[in-house]
Amino acid sequence: MSIKIKEWISRMPEYIPGKTIEEIKEQYNLDRVYKLASNENLYGPHPGVLEEICKNLDDIKYYPDSECREIRQKLAEKYNVDRDTIIMGNGTDQIIEMICDSFIGPGEGVVIADPTFLIYEKSVVKYGGAAVKVPLKDFRQDVEMLIGSINDKTKILFLTNPHNPTGTNINRREFDYVIENINKDVLLVVDEAYWEYVPERERINTIEYLSGCSNLMILRTFSKIFGLAGLRIGYGIADRSIISALNKVRIPFNVNSIAQKAAAAALDNESCINEIRENIDKERNRFYDILNKNGIGFIKSYANFILINTGKNSDEIVEELLKNGFIVRPGENLGIPGYIRVTIALPEINEKFLSVFIKIFNNLYKKEKV
Ligand code: PMP
């Protein structure tokens, strides 16, 4: 191609998505494949959400409400904040892009953990900026180093709580440290995609901090515990000056009408997420027990996924799991080589996965010992 792309676009890191179920069925000639690679909630949405989706299908001939009034109003009531402090996105991915679009220019930058969710760096580089990366400490975000790495070019600090890909948390003391020490001219974005999975007693109510911190932005999503990943809808809450800057770069009609209706119905049926959280909690403990019994290392998680230590390059184990109908994410793609990241699913799927995984793991190591 003779047309030159922008120099910095060629520097954008590549996001490697999980393999699809159809792809793996065809490749390995399988009837049943379980996708445990993208941290989706396999319980799916509440039946009331599906009903609402069907009820509104006829309206897809119209453009959606570009301002997402109904769902923003519901969120405003839920959190007791003003509707003008909320923005909706085509997934929080899109809000991360809007944040970088509004606040990052060439030569400017962000501070992020390493590794972390790739979309932060991808978005920063897209707008000509660069990321200062701070290594994790014991698989956790090192808040002192993150704050210490802010320099006069830094516009944004991204925190992820719980973290992806590790599942580790930032505790209240660490969060308070960040709030107390961050420069007021640096935007603090706290990505809480998995927030609802954290046990209530350990959750930080970051919304309460908003009134005292005009440089704080919180991101949450309907993709995870609400089971709507395929519809793409997430939201951000921040001071209205920040939201108004994001609205300038937001494309009209960025959230489709079905997603808006589904998210509103998800909030109307919100109590069901407590049961999902409890079930995931129980299932996480099942993973811990079985992995411990078999002497396999893992990272304790606050989310609906777990990093498991395969003890070596995970390619062979990932391939064997695929042959058995389980798609997981190799840590090599996520900056944690030698680990796999596995979504915690429904009890019967977890049971099958664990028994297959333990067999594969033991076979590989037995083979090596011979
Ligand atoms: N943040 C984190 C930490 C995530 O893991 C994900 C999903 N993988 C997202 C944001 C994006 O979520 P959404 O589906 O709302 O774009």
Side-chain angles (χ1 to χ4, degrees):
M1 183 172 79
S2 55
I3 308 168
K4 273 204 191 123
I5 63 167
K6 290 183 229 170
E7 179 271 319
W8 59 88
I9 299 293
S10 57
R11 280 191 276 117
M12 277 172 77
E14 191 188 354
Y15 180 77
I16 307 168
K19 293 190 178 352
T20 68
I21 292 177
E22 287 313 313
E23 227 179 311
I24 299 306
K25 271 189 181 167
E26 203 178 296
Q27 190 173 346
Y28 296 97
N29 197 19
L30 296 166
D31 291 331
R32 187 88 228 204
V33 170
Y34 300 101
K35 183 168 171 244
L36 306 179
S38 300
N39 311 336
E40 289 126 338
N41 165 15
L42 270 62
Y43 286 91
H46 186 277
V49 173
L50 300 179
E51 235 172 76
E52 188 67 11
I53 290 174
C54 295
K55 239 170 53 193
N56 286 279
L57 283 177
D58 196 38
D59 283 343
I60 61 171
K61 56 183 170 288
Y62 298 115
Y63 282 106
D65 173 10
S66 188
E67 309 294 319
C68 297
R69 289 176 187 83
E70 183 190 4
I71 181 65
R72 280 173 52 235
Q73 184 59 36
K74 274 189 189 290
L75 288 167
E77 283 162 21
K78 169 179 161 68
Y79 293 124
N80 198 18
V81 297
D82 197 286
R83 196 167 77 172
D84 292 345
T85 64
I86 302 175
I87 190 160
M88 306 305 297
N90 196 274
T92 42
D93 282 350
Q94 192 187 40
I95 303 179
I96 295 166
E97 260 205 10
M98 290 193 262
I99 293 169
C100 292
D101 195 0
S102 298
F103 295 108
I104 299 291
E108 295 178 327
V110 303
V111 174
I112 55 174
D114 184 27
T116 189
F117 185 49
L118 190 73
I119 302 300
Y120 311 141
E121 187 182 0
K122 217 172 152 50
S123 305
V124 173
V125 175
K126 180 173 176 187
Y127 295 102
V132 172
K133 299 187 197 176
V134 176
L136 297 178
K137 193 165 141 192
D138 298 328
F139 295 89
R140 304 183 73 241
Q141 291 157 98
D142 182 343
V143 292
E144 285 179 22
M145 280 292 282
L146 286 162
I147 288 287
S149 301
I150 290 176
N151 59 39
D152 56 0
K153 303 266 193 310
T154 309
K155 302 295 295 289
I156 304 168
L157 166 61
F158 281 102
L159 295 180
T160 320
N161 195 23
H163 193 51
N164 182 11
T166 58
T168 53
N169 74 333
I170 290 170
N171 63 32
R172 199 176 310 273
R173 184 186 55 72
E174 292 164 327
F175 185 70
D176 285 340
Y177 175 86
V178 174
I179 292 285
E180 280 156 26
N181 288 283
I182 192 165
N183 304 353
K184 294 294 168 246
D185 57 358
V186 173
L187 178 64
L188 171 62
V189 177
V190 188
D191 179 345
E192 299 183 327
Y194 304 94
W195 185 82
E196 293 88 352
Y197 281 112
V198 179
E200 256 168 284
R201 63 184 183 284
E202 292 188 73
R203 260 190 231 160
I204 305 172
N205 187 354
T206 41
I207 307 280
E208 276 177 0
Y209 288 73
L210 282 169
S211 56
C213 303
S214 58
N215 60 331
L216 172 63
M217 173 145 202
I218 297 161
L219 302 181
R220 292 190 188 163
T221 182
F222 288 95
S223 297
K224 304 298 178 186
I225 209 163
F226 288 100
L228 296 177
L231 288 181
R232 315 300 300 123
I233 177 164
Y235 57 99
I237 315 180
D239 187 82
R240 70 185 67 228
S241 60
I242 292 170
I243 299 300
S244 133
L246 299 195
N247 270 320
K248 290 221 160 85
V249 300
R250 182 174 63 80
I251 51 167
F253 313 117
N254 61 320
V255 180
N256 74 73
S257 54
I258 296 296
Q260 293 187 34
K261 286 290 178 194
L267 287 183
D268 289 341
N269 295 284
E270 196 175 9
S271 56
C272 78
I273 69 170
N274 294 329
E275 202 180 318
I276 295 172
R277 179 189 319 116
E278 281 162 23
N279 290 347
I280 295 292
D281 215 36
K282 263 192 231 146
E283 289 301 304
R284 233 182 350 230
N285 284 326
R286 182 214 295 264
F287 270 76
Y288 295 169
D289 281 351
I290 295 186
L291 293 171
N292 273 332
K293 269 191 201 125
N294 286 275
I296 300 171
F298 59 88
I299 308 301
K300 273 199 153 182
S301 169
Y302 286 78
N304 68 330
F305 58 86
I306 181 167
L307 267 187
I308 302 177
N309 189 351
T310 60
K312 53 174 168 180
N313 184 303
S314 63
D315 287 351
E316 207 174 342
I317 287 193
V318 169
E319 176 74 20
E320 286 304 309
L321 284 169
L322 286 176
K323 284 184 198 160
N324 282 274
F326 291 99
I327 312 174
V328 302
R329 195 67 76 96
E332 283 71 15
N333 292 358
L334 299 169
I336 315 251
Y339 282 75
I340 53 172
R341 195 191 64 195
V342 184
T343 306
I344 298 171
L346 311 180
E348 58 278 17
I349 303 176
N350 299 332
E351 201 175 320
K352 274 190 206 155
F353 168 80
L354 281 163
S355 96
V356 168
F357 172 71
I358 301 289
K359 240 185 248 155
I360 293 172
F361 185 91
N362 287 338
N363 274 343
L364 281 179
Y365 278 94
K366 239 185 259 154
K367 218 167 55 186
E368 275 182 6
K369 278 185 207 141
V370 177

